[in-house]
Amino acid sequence: MDKPQFQTLNLTTASRQKHRRRSRRKVPATCNVKKIHRNGAVFASEEPDEKEVVERKIRALQSIVPGGESLGVDQLFEQTAEYIMNLQHQVKAMRALSSFFESLDKEKSECGG
């Protein structure tokens, strides 16, 4: 296996200042920091790595779904679908209760109570 070879840089004062200015730029943590050009120069990429974006979304989903932290991706998606269905049933039940109590209040006000 070949060892990586590093090129020694000989920077003049002007190029050092220019390099310092460039190196102060902040790159978001989710970005793919190493983007190597054909000539061997390394640039910071502004585009987030697709794999990192997917991993971040999966971690967010794991934090939302109860018990999601201990699940694999396939199980997480199945559990997410089940969780969404349960939430929909809860919303439906709450709407039914709400309309029931509204109708009770309406009858109460019509009867003078």
Side-chain angles (χ1 to χ4, degrees), residues 9-25:
L9 296 176
N10 184 9
L11 301 174
T12 63
T13 307
S15 64
R16 278 188 203 137
Q17 289 174 346
K18 185 177 181 182
H19 178 72
R20 281 187 198 139
R21 273 184 258 132
R22 241 189 261 150
S23 64
R24 288 183 193 155
R25 289 185 210 152

Side-chain angles (χ1 to χ4, degrees), residues 42-59:
V42 177
F43 297 97
S45 173
E46 295 296 324
E47 301 170 5
D49 188 23
E50 185 177 344
K51 185 177 179 182
E52 290 174 1
V53 171
V54 170
E55 288 174 354
R56 188 181 73 229
K57 290 180 179 181
I58 288 174
R59 282 192 305 272

Side-chain angles (χ1 to χ4, degrees), residues 82-96:
E82 189 175 317
Y83 184 59
I84 290 170
M85 289 176 57
N86 287 335
L87 289 173
Q88 287 174 336
H89 290 300
Q90 288 179 7
V91 168
K92 191 175 182 178
M94 292 169 82
R95 283 184 179 153

